Amino acid sequence: MSDISTAPQTQPSPVSSILPRYKLVIFDWDGTVMDSADKIVNCMQIAAKQCSMPIPSRDEVGNIIGISLKPAIKQLFGIDDDALAEQLVLAYKEAFVAKDTTPCPLFDGAEALFNALKESGCILAVATGKARRGLDRAWQQTDTGSFFSASRTADEAESKPSPDMLLQLIDELAIPVSDAVMIGDTTYDMQMAKSIGMDRIGVSYGVHAQVHLEALQPKVIVHSIAELQHYLLGK
């Protein structure tokens, strides 16, 4: 009987050898990573009632989710009065932290997606309409802050749809626009990326209708975190 060949054996490729589509993956937070729309709507309605303003509908509040809070409130209520807008801002923040108890879970599969992206060598970042304190609170509650190498919040950059957050992130992380992608559930996310030629992915499970996302020419629209992971990593 002949000896078993001693030729070098080919080792199976590890999962992490799969090359991701992008070096830098930037996530919106509310409506993209975290299922927080119900809480945002409830808190805005509480703030309106407290400040004797007309109670906005769910759709009306959904249309301004993603914009920085004060500009969003001015747009939602059609006001220019800074003092009134600030009163509504404070009432909303108080409701969010202390009055409304609506849960804000991560969407199914979000943490697994972060893990898979990091294992594949991606750099992760966040560009959100939340304030810094709000994002830090969400990270603490979900124990996910360690996944992200950088982030920009509403009090650190111009409000979406300005691309300021994205420009700051790619500058800080030294990643060219061509190697980055913005993922979000609103037209504001799509607009900010489109304005600087950055690839963008829309998610249909957030607050803005798919047809409006499609008008801004995303690379793809996904309907779940699982679909998003398949697109980004091919698995």
Side-chain angles (χ1 to χ4, degrees), residues 28-45 56-73 75-76 92 96 104 107 127-130 154 159-161 165 184-192 205-209 213:
D28 169 55
W29 194 263
D30 292 311
T32 300
V33 168
M34 178 170 274
D35 188 2
S36 48
D38 286 347
K39 185 176 179 74
I40 292 170
V41 171
N42 290 346
C43 292
M44 197 63 74
Q45 291 173 339
S57 69
R58 178 182 176 84
D59 286 346
E60 288 170 335
V61 178
N63 285 334
I64 55 87
I65 291 177
I67 309 173
S68 300
L69 184 54
K70 190 170 182 179
I73 281 175
Q75 179 175 316
L76 176 62
Y92 173 86
F96 200 95
C104 293
F107 285 109
T128 178
K130 282 184 174 300
S159 177
K160 299 176 184 180
M165 291 184 189
D185 68 314
T186 71
T187 56
Y188 312 120
D189 300 313
M190 303 298 100
Q191 289 169 341
M192 68 191 298
Y205 52 79
V207 296
H208 283 188
L213 299 176

Side-chain angles (χ1 to χ4, degrees), residues 172-184:
E172 176 182 340
L173 298 169
I175 303 292
V177 169
S178 58
D179 286 335
V181 64
M182 175 69 202
I183 301 169

Side-chain angles (χ1 to χ4, degrees), residues 115-156:
N115 267 312
L117 289 171
K118 291 290 283 186
E119 287 176 3
S120 73
C122 286
I123 298 169
L124 306 187
V126 171
T128 178
K130 282 184 174 300
R132 169 55 58 189
R133 186 165 63 174
L135 180 61
D136 287 347
R137 185 186 307 117
W139 277 353
Q140 182 178 22
Q141 291 170 348
T142 59
D143 194 25
T144 53
S146 61
F147 288 109
F148 301 99
S149 299
S151 58
R152 286 298 182 278
T153 60
D155 43 358
E156 298 166 343

Side-chain angles (χ1 to χ4, degrees), residues 216-229:
L216 290 155
Q217 303 170 311
K219 298 296 288 185
V220 67
I221 299 230
V222 298
H223 307 292
S224 67
I225 294 286
E227 279 190 35
L228 179 58
Q229 180 166 333

